[in-house]
Structures are given as structure tokens and as C-alpha cells.
Amino acid sequence: MRHISEVLAPDAVLERIGGGATWSEGPCWIESSQTLRWSDIHGNRILECDPLTGETSEYRRTVDFTNGRTVHPDGYLLQCSHGGRRIEADVGGDVTPVASGWSGGRFNSPNDIVVASDRSIWFTDPHYGITVEGEGHPGEMEYGGCFVFRVTPASFGPEGAARYSTEERPAEPVITDMEEPNGLAFSPDESVLYVSDTSAVRRPEGVGNHHVRAYDVVHEDGAVRCVNGRTLFEIPGGLPDGIRVDEHGRIWSSGPAGVTIFSAEGETLGHIAVPELVGNLCFGGPSGTDLFIAATTSIYRIRTTVRDAAALTR
């Protein structure tokens, strides 16, 4: 890509299509309803907007500070609960715990989540929900770190979501060398996992991480490992909170002044300016090529020519 116009639709314009939040996170396109669902973390509620009408509605309130979410291939939603310190399945409004800990103790506060093509669930577990006022409940870090976890696959549909428990399908750490893992996304062939580290968020300037790391995903003897971790790029003056990877392997990262697009090698390819601080983003819309951006109080949309890499495996 030589210019950002190559990935944006010819008539692409940044549009504000939803709002009313206090801190927007965890956007997820829901195909069945053609709506965009997202978290208002500090408001402790979940919102939805209809891009056709521009109407924002409240899906649920008092939701224990949910954050990131994704659609499981079986059609229901998986979401991260800061307050519950767990992964949850939302099956038509019925919320069921999926995983709340591992052999090392309870999770800190699961933040962002993806599902691989084998239906394994991968999520980041920084401490924000137990240490930051307004993002969860005060608590202790039980295993002494902030890891990326993988929950092994299970064969169950929406009617069987309640059977998916920590005892039946335990979570295991796959990345343990990051300070505060946050957003995550797979390369199109799932051979690489990208994870952002935002440990600089509340530290003095110049201290802490504000970068995205890449890890090779190795399947060997029935086990899955993430190896060869390396820093791919940094976000100067800001944080790479949420990230997505398009079908051609480009990485789309949130940042202080919008969304920046990087190559798989970490080269900066382009930037989309957004008038609010961006927390996360996702692809969706009728054709899957709309980019939805969760930014402070609002949801923005810009039309592109690409889809999320995860759409290739669903």
C-alpha cells in the first residue's frame, strides 16, 4: 500500500453514528441485528447503535464493567468482564460464565478477546479492572502478573453455553512476558498473534510500554505455544489500545489522534484522524468493510475496501 486511499472507499468520510458514552470500548458488529454493540465502561452499561438510523439504545445496564467482546462462530457473543474477573457468554441476553481463573488463581480483569478458527478463546488480562477507579472493583492480583490466556476449544452451541466452565475447559497462559497486555488480533493465517502493551498509560512520560508485539503461534504435540516475541511498532505519544488485522495482514491500531495502519513488518502505512481519543475498533457492516471506531463518548464509522482477517475463518 503506497497511500491510505488504497484501503479506504472512494467516498470515505469519517461519520459519527452513535454516542452518549463516558468511555467507549469493546465494539462488536452483530450480523443478525445489523447493529454495533459496545461498552460504556465508566457508565457500567452496554450500548448499541443502528448505523442506518443513527439511533443509540441501551442494551443492558449494571453489567459489571464489561470491556472487549467478539462473536463466537456459533453465533453468540463472548465478552470480558472487568468486575466479574471472567470471560462470559451472552446468549440472547442470558449471561453465562465461561472462565474465571486458572491454576494460578483468579484472573485480574479480562480486557480484550478473540476466537481462533479452532474455536479456542484467547484473551488479555491486565489489571485495570481491579486497580483503576471506575473500571471495576478494587482487588488483588492473585498470580502476580498480567498474561495472555487461551481457553481450549469446546463443541457447544448457544443452548450449551452453560456447560462451558473453568473446570471443564481450563485457561492456560500463552504469553507471560508482557507488562500490561491489552488488545490482540491474529494474522490472517493465525501463525502470528499481535498483542498491544499499554503499561505506559498511568506512568510518568517515557516510562512503560506503548507498543505492539508479535508472537509466532506454534502447535506442537497437542500443545499451543507463543514464541519469538518481538516488538513490532510503537505509538509515539499515545497507546495502541485496541488493534485489528485486515484480510491482507495490515494492522489497524488505535492511538491518541485516531487510527494508524501498519504493515505486518511494522511499517507505518497511513492514518485516519479521529476527533476523540480512540479506545478500540472493529470491522463490520453489511459487507464487512465498514470500520467502526470506539472513541471516548462516541462511535465513528469510515468505509473501507477490506474486511477483518477473522472473517475469513468464520
Side-chain angles (χ1 to χ4, degrees):
M1 185 175 86
R2 293 183 298 276
H3 192 272
I4 192 171
S5 63
E6 296 181 32
V7 293
L8 296 183
D11 58 348
V13 176
L14 186 73
E15 309 166 82
R16 185 179 183 272
I17 62 167
T22 53
W23 175 240
S24 297
E25 259 282 12
C28 181
W29 176 255
I30 303 175
E31 185 70 25
S32 59
S33 60
Q34 294 287 290
T35 56
L36 192 285
R37 185 177 297 177
W38 84 98
S39 297
D40 177 14
I41 294 183
H42 297 163
N44 196 19
R45 58 187 184 150
I46 300 171
L47 302 176
E48 284 192 357
C49 70
D50 182 339
L52 286 179
T53 64
E55 180 182 352
T56 295
S57 59
E58 192 173 77
Y59 173 69
R60 292 178 72 98
R61 62 171 58 216
T62 315
V63 293
D64 229 354
F65 305 95
T66 57
N67 193 329
R69 58 180 47 79
T70 191
V71 177
H72 189 277
D74 290 339
Y76 54 87
L77 266 69
L78 291 164
Q79 62 190 27
C80 299
S81 172
H82 272 192
R85 302 177 70 157
R86 69 188 191 182
I87 300 300
E88 303 172 335
D90 182 332
V91 185
D94 182 17
V95 177
T96 304
V98 170
S100 57
W102 65 296
S103 59
R106 284 187 300 171
F107 301 133
N108 298 317
S109 54
N111 187 285
D112 209 350
I113 185 168
V114 294
V115 180
S117 57
D118 66 357
R119 283 173 159 70
S120 59
I121 301 167
W122 300 60
F123 63 94
T124 56
D125 189 36
H127 54 71
Y128 305 136
I130 57 177
T131 61
V132 180
E133 185 178 357
E135 292 204 3
H137 309 297
E140 299 296 325
M141 297 171 63
E142 295 192 3
Y143 64 87
C146 297
F147 296 167
V148 178
F149 287 92
R150 177 181 183 267
V151 178
T152 54
S155 298
F156 69 107
E159 71 284 353
R163 297 200 306 273
Y164 201 98
S165 69
T166 337
E167 291 74 26
E168 295 173 10
R169 299 285 175 176
E172 295 294 339
V174 287
I175 296 175
T176 61
D177 65 348
M178 299 184 72
E179 290 188 355
E180 295 175 17
N182 197 325
L184 76 170
F186 282 107
S187 64
D189 63 0
E190 297 184 352
S191 65
V192 178
L193 180 67
Y194 302 103
V195 188
S196 66
D197 190 326
T198 53
S199 67
V201 62
R202 289 172 184 86
R203 299 186 188 179
E205 187 175 351
V207 178
N209 298 322
H210 47 99
H211 58 225
V212 168
R213 287 175 61 78
Y215 293 81
D216 297 327
V217 180
V218 178
H219 296 257
E220 193 173 70
D221 299 326
V224 180
R225 297 182 297 123
C226 290
V227 301
N228 190 30
R230 63 272 187 194
T231 298
L232 195 63
F233 61 82
E234 293 187 343
I235 298 291
L239 300 167
D241 194 337
I243 56 175
R244 289 293 184 271
V245 175
D246 70 31
E247 58 193 315
H248 302 296
R250 305 182 191 95
I251 305 158
W252 300 58
S253 174
S254 64
V259 176
T260 303
I261 307 167
F262 296 87
S263 71
E265 293 73 40
E267 176 191 3
T268 302
L269 301 176
H271 182 78
I272 300 168
V274 179
E276 298 183 73
L277 182 64
V278 176
N280 212 327
L281 59 155
C282 73
F283 288 94
S287 63
T289 57
D290 291 346
L291 180 70
F292 295 101
I293 303 167
T296 314
T297 67
S298 309
I299 294 293
Y300 295 88
R301 175 183 62 189
I302 191 166
R303 302 188 188 280
T304 80
T305 60
V306 296
R307 299 183 301 155
D308 195 318
L312 305 177
T313 62
R314 289 179 183 152

